[in-house]
Amino acid sequence: MEHGALPVFVSVLGLSLALCSSQTYVLDDKAGLGRVFDGVGGLSGGGATSRLLVNYAEPYRSQILDYLFKPNFGASLHILKVEIGGDAQTTDGTEPSHMHYENDENYFRGYEWWLMKEAKKRNPNITLIGLPWAFPGWVGHGKNWPYDFPDITAAYVVNWILGAKQYHDLDIQYVGIWNERNYDSKYIKVLRNALDKVGLTGIGIIAADGDWSIANSMITDPYLNDSIKVIGAHYPGTTTVKEAVKTQKKLWSSEDYSTFNNEVGGGCWARILNQNYVNGLMTATISWNLVASYYEQLPFGRDGLMTAEEPWSGNYVVESPIWITAHTTQFTQPGWTYLQTVGHLSQGGSYVALTDGKGNLTVVIETMTHDHSVCIRPPLPAFNLTAQNAAFQLKGSFASIKELQVWRSQFNFKSKKPSFYEKLTPLKLLDGSFTLNLAEDEVYTLTTVTTGCKGSYADPPASAPFPKVYKDNFDVRNPPFTEAPDFADQTGVFEYYINMTDPGPHVFTLRQVVTQRPVTWASDADQTISVIGDYQWQNLTITCDVFMESVKTGGVFIAARVDRGGESTRGTKGVFFWVFADGTYKVTNDLAGQTVLAEGQSGTRAYGWHTLSLTVNGQYASGLLNGYPLWKNAVVLTPKNGWAAIGTHSFELAQFDNFAVVADK
């Protein structure tokens, strides 16, 4: 980097303005280039973060996908990373496994296959990554640990990759290890060998999807080092460690951001997209999550690049991180190379420059202040940033560039009138130089690439609450997805089911299918539960037909005012109306069943259908069984509001049908 004083009059975005002296930053490829750029991505899963997206009607669903994946339109993402479902709670819900049981394989469950195909449809060159956050219980052979039998775990992951290709023509390019947990060197080598054995030699392993500590093992273990393509860290705070650099492997921020997607979230994203490379030599950054498409009251509500949490209304919001992403993604591609001349601006902020090696140059500059770019983690050390003039001098193969396209985002926190991704007049260069008058909280892209575009659609429908009257009989002969619309499984997996043994009205049902506690890092409940509806609901009636499949030990419930989900599901409170296969019932104030409000005989049994009805009004709750009062006036002081829910007493098979809600408020 070279510094110096500029003449008094310089070209600033095509205007001649009198300026004080400016710092000069040289962009040059004479001494060689930096690391190869691998892209910017989004993460669907970890878990169930795209759950509500699939239930949007057209054209809104396709519009959301365009904002995420369509080149030269919105975020134009280069990478899509998805969860390999493990039937377990992995932050905001569970995602179904391709192998619920050891002798079971099904490559059409869930929605990640669909999402990858939609992304690929828009961008055939998108990089696809799979990562398991959890595993079905059988993988651990009764232990909450997936590595005691590494051959079994590796085969499970390899099956998913093979299934992606065989059934969906999807080529997975990278696979991660178990998310954020202690890595197992032996397993990584076993996985590498299992991939190679079936011809998947080109698939790279990302390890350890946690911190940088695996680099120490890689330095001392050549076979482990050879098994790993990318060292991936989560929330690295834009820094790496010397041991990771020493391996000469690709360094990625394989999960980052996880921040509320208001303007400060956009500022966080702008800062780390540049500084992950400037400070940490990370050549890919992947946002958790791709799209906030889960109930907002679940953990980390709205921590996505955009928000799509109302399929019932069609409303979605293109948040600032979409346009901040575009500043990089629309003017670069994986395979471009960073210049060595990247760095920090003298008065705060950063700049990166990339080239395709064919004469194109893209420069991205950010001047995000500390308080307007705080990410959820890790803590951000204090720094100062002030407005500044920055002069850039192009040298080497870029010296002859005469004009650069200019795109600008201004957060304008004081006026609260932000302007994102605005195309300005092209900048004429004088002897390969240009100067920018940089204010606080801005992002600039200057580029030779002329194909950038700020895509748009007509405004989507207005936001609206979940319908107060809702019913679903699950009578879908060929469901496009295995989950019923708007149900968000928090423990267990509830899937469409064809009940061939019932010639009557219950042929098509919803069935809870997880029969063994999964291998998981989250505190999954001991009961299964799926929530639905409006978290603000207070007074309502829920009705559902239930069918237990565990003789004597079976139990099912319907519930109202369910107050939490995600990693906190184990502590869920609400009003739970249970019936059991031993002929009893219970009303509890919690999912764990510890606070009993009423109990008695019900005459319920397994392998027979029963209709439950729960009414909650003010401080009182009552229940019907098969249309007749079973209990009434149970006193409910808290919670005051929450979702509706269905579920089972344990990890057991059970069916549900004719679900209905009528809510007053």
Side-chain angles (χ1 to χ4, degrees):
M1 191 192 306
E2 297 177 11
H3 304 284
L6 237 70
V8 175
F9 288 94
V10 292
S11 175
V12 184
L13 295 183
L15 303 173
S16 288
L17 299 174
L19 296 173
C20 300
S21 64
S22 305
Q23 292 291 102
T24 300
Y25 307 91
V26 174
L27 303 178
D28 192 357
D29 59 355
K30 258 187 303 199
L33 297 171
R35 292 192 169 216
V36 174
F37 175 65
D38 294 306
V40 179
L43 205 168
S44 173
T49 54
S50 304
R51 175 65 195 89
L52 298 175
L53 173 61
V54 299
N55 303 135
Y56 271 79
E58 295 295 350
Y60 310 114
R61 190 173 69 178
S62 288
Q63 291 174 6
I64 295 163
L65 293 165
D66 285 350
Y67 279 115
L68 293 169
F69 299 117
K70 186 177 178 180
N72 300 314
F73 189 85
S76 308
L77 292 170
H78 303 136
I79 301 168
L80 173 60
K81 181 177 179 178
V82 304
E83 176 173 356
I84 300 174
D87 291 343
Q89 171 61 246
T90 52
T91 303
D92 287 300
T94 69
E95 298 204 23
S97 170
H98 57 290
M99 298 178 72
H100 291 319
Y101 325 112
E102 197 163 3
N103 60 351
D104 162 63
E105 288 185 60
N106 183 320
Y107 297 94
F108 295 92
R109 294 182 182 130
Y111 37 86
E112 304 296 4
W113 312 110
W114 165 84
L115 183 61
M116 287 189 282
K117 287 189 286 190
E118 291 293 329
K120 201 88 175 169
K121 189 189 299 181
R122 288 161 174 80
N123 176 6
N125 298 317
I126 198 163
T127 299
L128 299 177
I129 306 172
L131 172 67
W133 265 255
F135 299 88
W138 64 267
V139 172
H141 279 255
K143 290 186 180 179
N144 194 38
W145 185 246
Y147 297 141
D148 284 348
F149 302 91
D151 291 328
I152 291 173
T153 306
Y156 170 85
V157 172
V158 169
N159 282 345
W160 184 87
I161 296 169
L162 293 172
K165 180 63 175 176
Q166 180 177 345
Y167 296 99
H168 303 285
D169 197 26
L170 292 168
D171 293 298
I172 307 299
Q173 282 122 305
Y174 294 91
V175 64
I177 312 303
W178 191 21
N179 171 62
E180 285 187 1
R181 305 311 114 195
N182 295 327
Y183 67 87
D184 184 281
S185 296
K186 180 182 178 184
Y187 167 69
I188 294 171
K189 298 174 199 173
V190 169
L191 177 60
R192 178 72 271 160
N193 187 53
L195 290 166
D196 293 348
K197 199 176 284 187
V198 295
L200 297 174
T201 55
I203 292 184
I205 293 176
I206 304 170
D209 265 319
D211 60 22
W212 299 110
S213 61
I214 196 170
N216 295 304
S217 302
M218 293 169 66
I219 290 169
T220 59
D221 185 341
Y223 188 21
L224 177 65
N225 188 69
D226 291 345
S227 298
I228 294 169
K229 183 83 170 282
V230 176
I231 304 180
H234 289 190
Y235 309 97
T238 77
T239 62
T240 186
V241 297
K242 64 179 184 298
E243 292 82 4
V245 177
K246 189 177 175 182
T247 66
Q248 298 185 313
K249 295 288 183 179
K250 292 177 179 290
L251 308 179
W252 288 7
S253 180
S254 53
E255 182 180 322
D256 216 328
Y257 181 62
S258 189
T259 300
F260 191 76
N261 61 19
N262 60 5
E263 271 68 22
V264 173
C268 152
W269 189 231
R271 178 175 55 78
I272 64 178
L273 279 180
N274 263 23
Q275 295 195 26
N276 274 348
Y277 187 76
V278 171
N279 300 337
L281 295 176
M282 286 168 266
T283 55
T285 298
I286 300 173
S287 166
W288 189 92
N289 51 65
L290 170 74
V291 53
S293 206
Y294 46 98
Y295 290 110
E296 192 168 329
Q297 295 81 9
L298 288 169
F300 307 103
R302 272 185 59 187
D303 283 17
L305 296 177
M306 63 181 291
T307 304
E309 58 188 20
E310 288 187 14
W312 47 87
S313 72
N315 180 259
Y316 63 85
V317 184
V318 183
E319 311 280 6
S320 62
I322 289 289
W323 302 119
I324 296 306
T325 308
H327 272 282
T328 298
T329 53
Q330 289 202 18
F331 309 104
T332 60
Q333 289 297 326
W336 282 44
T337 308
Y338 284 99
L339 273 59
Q340 289 185 18
T341 48
V342 302
H344 291 276
L345 300 171
S346 63
Q347 302 302 310
S350 65
Y351 65 97
V352 295
L354 302 97
T355 181
D356 63 353
K358 302 171 185 174
N360 279 310
L361 175 69
T362 290
V363 183
V364 185
I365 302 164
E366 59 81 21
T367 58
M368 297 309 305
T369 56
H370 179 280
D371 291 354
H372 294 154
S373 67
V374 175
C375 303
I376 195 169
R377 67 177 83 96
L380 180 61
F383 65 86
N384 293 318
L385 186 146
T386 57
Q388 59 198 298
N389 299 325
F392 289 85
Q393 180 69 53
L394 274 53
K395 291 190 174 182
S397 67
F398 310 115
S400 59
I401 291 174
K402 303 296 185 191
E403 181 179 273
L404 292 171
Q405 307 298 310
V406 183
W407 294 80
R408 181 181 66 186
S409 290
Q410 296 177 308
F411 282 81
N412 293 331
F413 283 95
K414 288 178 181 173
S415 68
K416 295 184 179 176
K417 294 181 179 177
S419 168
F420 292 116
Y421 201 58
E422 178 187 6
K423 191 176 193 303
L424 304 183
T425 304
L427 185 61
K428 306 292 185 185
L429 272 59
L430 190 64
D431 297 327
S433 70
F434 63 91
T435 297
L436 298 176
N437 185 358
L438 299 172
E440 296 180 357
D441 300 321
E442 293 187 330
V443 180
Y444 276 89
T445 299
L446 300 106
T447 180
T448 56
V449 177
T450 58
T451 51
C453 178
K454 186 172 185 178
S456 65
Y457 288 110
D459 289 343
S463 174
F466 195 94
K468 290 182 179 179
V469 177
Y470 183 87
K471 57 186 176 182
D472 192 339
N473 61 13
F474 311 123
D475 288 0
V476 185
R477 291 184 180 274
N478 296 295
F481 300 98
T482 50
E483 301 93 340
D486 306 329
F487 277 92
D489 303 347
Q490 299 303 305
T491 300
V493 171
F494 296 73
E495 296 180 345
Y496 282 117
Y497 180 66
I498 301 177
N499 186 356
M500 302 302 291
T501 63
D502 191 333
H506 299 290
V507 175
F508 299 97
T509 66
L510 198 66
R511 192 189 202 199
Q512 198 296 117
V513 297
V514 179
T515 57
Q516 184 180 359
R517 186 175 184 81
V519 177
T520 174
W521 53 268
S523 297
D524 291 52
D526 296 323
Q527 306 76 21
T528 73
I529 179 172
S530 186
V531 302
I532 189 171
D534 188 337
Y535 189 79
Q536 303 307 320
W537 278 345
Q538 297 177 5
N539 303 326
L540 68 162
T541 296
I542 304 166
T543 304
C544 190
D545 298 339
V546 298
F547 183 91
M548 293 172 276
E549 298 184 51
S550 297
V551 177
K552 294 187 179 177
T553 60
V556 295
F557 70 81
I558 61 174
R561 296 187 184 175
V562 173
D563 73 341
R564 73 193 75 175
E567 297 165 88
S568 304
T569 298
R570 199 172 184 82
T572 297
K573 303 286 191 275
V575 186
F576 294 82
F577 175 18
W578 309 78
V579 293
F580 300 96
D582 65 1
T584 63
Y585 79 91
K586 191 183 285 187
V587 184
T588 68
N589 209 175
D590 58 339
L591 176 62
Q594 301 300 306
T595 306
V596 179
L597 305 178
E599 59 185 332
Q601 298 298 308
S602 62
T604 50
R605 58 183 174 80
Y607 293 98
W609 282 96
H610 306 282
T611 301
L612 305 186
S613 183
L614 169 65
T615 298
V616 184
N617 193 353
Q619 294 186 2
Y620 297 99
S622 303
L624 306 180
L625 174 63
N626 299 326
Y628 294 95
L630 183 63
W631 54 276
K632 62 181 180 179
N633 294 334
V635 177
V636 181
L637 299 179
T638 59
K640 302 293 186 187
N641 57 276
W643 296 294
I646 57 175
T648 64
H649 182 243
S650 65
F651 289 102
E652 61 186 274
L653 298 173
Q655 296 176 56
F656 302 84
D657 203 1
N658 298 318
F659 176 85
V661 175
V662 178
D664 295 334
K665 185 179 179 183

